[in-house]
Amino acid sequence: MDRRRYNVCCGADIHKKFLIATILLLDGTKLTKRFSMDLISLFEFRDWVNANGCEVVAVESTGSYWVPIYRILEGHVELIVANAYRIKNVPGRKTDTIDSEWIAELCLNGQIKPSRIFPKDARDLRSLTRARERYVDDKTRVKNRVHHILDSNCIRLSSVISDIFGKVGRYVLNCLLEGIDIDEIIEGIPVTSIKKKKSDQIREAIAGQLSETDIILIRGYLDQIDAIQTNIEELESEIRKRIAPLRKNLAIVMSVPGIGFISAAVILAEIGDCNDFDKAEQLAAWCGLVPSVYQSADKNYTGSITKQGSRHIRRILVEVAHVIARTTGKSKLKNFFLRIQARKGTNIAAVALARKVLCIVHHLLIMQEMYEEEERDRDDETEFLDNSGKMRLDDMIRYVVKAGYEVRKRVTVGG
C-alpha cells in the first residue's frame, strides 16, 4: 500500500449525472462542492481543484464514470483511481458528502492503493477484445434460440451434425425454411462424406414440420447470426492491426499450448505491462485466480478463488485450460490437469491449470522466451521401463501416485 501523505487532497464520490467533491486539508479544513458530469462542469471541477492547491484527486472506479474525469484531470493534477471494494466506509451512515469526505481522508493519510490505469492504446485494445467477447455471447444466445425452436418441433439436427450452423447445417436449415422435399435435401448435401454416412440419420432428424411463425423467427435469427459474425470479423481485423506493435509478445504467448491468436490477444490486452508485477503470484492475485484465505487462531482456511480483477482474463484462461485438457498426446500441462482432476474434479483442475498457464505466461514475457516442453516430459513414456521393455512395480506405483491416485496395499488372509 502506498503510504505517501499529502497536505491537500480531494475525494470525489462520482455518479452518472453528478459528483460530490470534498477538498480536505491537513489541518482538517473541508470544502465540499457538487458538479455535474457534463464536459463544461468537469472543466470547472478541474479549475476548482487547481485553485485550491490540491495535490491529488481520488475517485472510485465506479463503472466507466471515472473515465471522463481521468481524461480531464490527466496532466493537470495527480489522480488516484481506487478500487471501490477496498475503500468501503463503515456501514450505518451513508451520504454522498460523507463518502467524498471518507475518500479524501483515506487519500490524505496515504491509505489508498491506486488501481492500474492502462495507457490509451492498451485501453483501446482491451475495449476491442471485450467487445468481441460480447458479440460472441450474443451470437451464442441467438443460436440457442434456433436450437430451441428446432427442438420444439422434434427436429433433432444437432444430434446428427456437430454444428448446425456450419456448411451442411446451414444448407439443411435453408432448405427446411424454403419447404424443399426431404429427398431433395438429402441429395443436395454439399459434403460427400456426410452424405454417404449420415443420410438416413439426417432424414430421421428433419422429419418434423416448421410452422410459418417458426420459419419467420429462424430466418430472422439466422440474419442476426450473419450480421454478428460480420461484426466479429471486423473487430478481429482491427485487433490484428492494434496488436501489431506487440507481435513479439504475441508470438511468445501463442507458443504456450492451447493458446491461439484471439486467446493471446485477450491475455495481453487484459494484463497490460507484465513488468508491473514482480512475481507471477502477484499477477495471479490481480486476476483473481488465487484462493481466498481466512486466518484465525493460527489456523489458515482457504476457500474458492477470490474472483477479483478482470473476469475476462479468467474466462479466457479457463477456456485455454479446457483446450489443453482435450488435446491428444502427452504434455506437461495436460498431465498437471489430469493429476488435479483425479483428486479434485474437472472444474477445480481447469482453474488450477488456468492459474499455472498465467504464471507461465508471466515468466515467458518477463524473460522474453518461447515456451518449450522439457525433453524428459516428452519421453516420459519410456522413463519407467527396464531393459526388457517392461515397467517395474515400484515405478508403476510411483507413476500412478503421480497421476493423483491413491495406492493401498491389500492383505490376503488364508490360502
Side-chain angles (χ1 to χ4, degrees):
M1 181 177 291
D2 185 10
R3 302 300 301 179
R4 179 182 173 186
R5 296 177 63 90
Y6 301 92
N7 296 315
V8 184
C9 67
C10 176
D13 184 47
I14 54 177
H15 302 273
K16 182 177 181 179
K17 296 182 179 180
F18 66 92
L19 66 87
I20 301 294
T22 297
I23 294 178
L24 181 62
L25 280 66
L26 200 58
D27 61 6
T29 303
K30 295 179 182 178
L31 300 172
T32 302
K33 193 171 181 179
R34 176 183 172 127
F35 297 89
S36 298
M37 288 293 286
D38 59 84
L39 188 61
I40 296 176
S41 298
L42 290 180
F43 279 119
E44 293 176 356
F45 171 59
R46 187 183 70 185
D47 294 339
W48 180 70
V49 166
N50 289 330
N52 286 280
C54 273
E55 301 170 358
V56 61
V57 176
V59 299
E60 290 181 339
S61 56
T62 307
S64 59
Y65 304 150
W66 63 271
V67 178
I69 298 175
Y70 180 84
R71 291 175 176 173
I72 293 296
L73 298 182
E74 189 176 20
H76 296 272
V77 64
E78 182 182 351
L79 179 66
I80 295 177
V81 179
N83 187 322
Y85 177 79
R86 296 180 182 274
I87 61 171
K88 278 187 176 181
N89 199 349
V90 178
R93 296 180 59 207
K94 185 182 186 307
T95 66
D96 295 334
T97 300
I98 291 177
D99 285 345
S100 66
E101 292 176 358
W102 173 253
I103 296 172
E105 183 178 342
L106 292 178
C107 182
L108 193 70
N109 295 319
Q111 294 178 293
I112 297 180
K113 183 178 180 179
S115 300
R116 295 176 68 222
I117 306 298
F118 289 14
K120 185 178 184 306
D121 292 342
R123 294 201 304 268
D124 290 343
L125 176 61
R126 189 175 57 181
S127 296
L128 291 172
T129 57
R130 290 182 178 183
R132 182 194 175 278
E133 179 184 306
R134 288 190 289 271
Y135 276 131
V136 171
D137 291 341
D138 291 341
K139 184 179 175 182
T140 301
R141 280 191 287 270
V142 178
K143 285 183 175 181
N144 288 338
R145 295 189 187 112
V146 176
H147 280 290
H148 176 72
I149 293 176
L150 295 177
D151 291 341
S152 299
N153 290 277
C154 292
I155 298 177
R156 308 296 182 181
L157 189 59
S158 58
S159 63
V160 181
I161 302 174
S162 58
D163 182 14
I164 68 171
F165 301 98
K167 184 177 182 180
V168 175
R170 283 298 293 265
Y171 161 77
V172 175
L173 282 178
N174 290 332
C175 290
L176 290 175
L177 297 179
E178 295 296 330
I180 298 176
D181 184 71
I182 291 181
D183 292 332
E184 188 176 347
I185 294 176
I186 300 299
E187 185 64 27
I189 292 177
V191 179
T192 305
S193 60
I194 294 180
K195 181 179 178 181
K196 290 181 178 180
K197 297 179 181 179
K198 298 186 176 182
S199 295
D200 294 337
Q201 299 177 38
I202 294 176
R203 185 188 301 274
E204 294 177 2
I206 62 177
Q209 296 292 324
L210 292 172
S211 68
E212 184 177 350
T213 300
D214 293 332
I215 291 174
I216 293 173
L217 291 175
I218 292 178
R219 278 179 176 162
Y221 291 147
L222 293 179
D223 289 341
Q224 285 186 45
I225 291 172
D226 293 337
I228 294 173
Q229 182 59 35
T230 300
N231 292 333
I232 291 175
E233 292 171 357
E234 290 176 355
L235 280 179
E236 289 179 353
S237 176
E238 188 63 27
I239 289 171
R240 291 181 185 276
K241 294 178 183 177
R242 299 292 183 93
I243 208 169
L246 303 175
R247 61 174 62 90
K248 184 176 181 180
N249 286 346
L250 184 69
I252 290 174
V253 178
M254 290 179 65
S255 68
V256 179
I259 298 182
F261 169 76
I262 292 299
S263 301
V266 172
I267 291 171
L268 289 176
E270 294 295 332
I271 290 177
D273 188 359
C274 252
N275 293 299
D276 291 345
F277 304 95
D278 296 330
K279 298 180 180 179
E281 289 77 10
Q282 294 176 352
L283 175 58
W286 185 79
C287 294
L289 282 172
V290 296
S292 55
V293 178
Y294 173 76
Q295 186 180 64
S296 179
D298 292 332
K299 292 184 179 180
N300 289 331
Y301 302 91
T302 57
S304 58
I305 57 174
T306 62
K307 293 187 179 181
Q308 296 181 7
S310 170
R311 61 182 173 83
H312 307 280
I313 192 169
R314 289 196 299 274
R315 170 178 172 170
I316 203 68
L317 286 171
V318 171
E319 289 179 4
V320 168
H322 284 294
V323 171
I324 294 173
R326 291 194 301 267
T327 55
T328 57
K330 306 188 71 174
S331 70
K332 187 175 181 180
L333 294 177
K334 185 175 181 179
N335 288 341
F336 174 84
F337 174 87
L338 294 176
R339 290 199 302 272
I340 304 297
Q341 184 187 42
R343 294 184 287 112
K344 298 292 185 69
T346 301
N347 292 337
I348 293 179
V351 173
L353 181 54
R355 180 184 181 277
K356 188 175 185 67
V357 169
L358 180 63
C359 293
I360 290 173
V361 166
H362 177 270
H363 171 79
L364 296 176
L365 290 175
I366 293 296
M367 304 303 294
Q368 290 292 286
E369 298 174 347
M370 293 290 185
Y371 179 85
E372 293 183 2
E373 285 277 356
E374 297 178 4
E375 289 297 329
R376 183 180 178 185
D377 293 316
R378 294 175 182 172
D379 301 331
D380 60 359
E381 291 180 335
T382 60
E383 180 181 356
F384 302 112
L385 301 182
D386 57 19
N387 295 332
S388 63
K390 297 181 179 180
M391 184 177 289
R392 297 178 294 272
L393 178 60
D394 292 342
D395 291 334
M396 188 183 299
I397 293 174
R398 282 186 355 200
Y399 193 77
V400 172
V401 172
K402 181 180 178 182
Y405 295 94
E406 182 179 353
V407 178
R408 296 180 179 179
K409 184 177 180 180
R410 175 179 293 179
V411 178
T412 303
V413 179

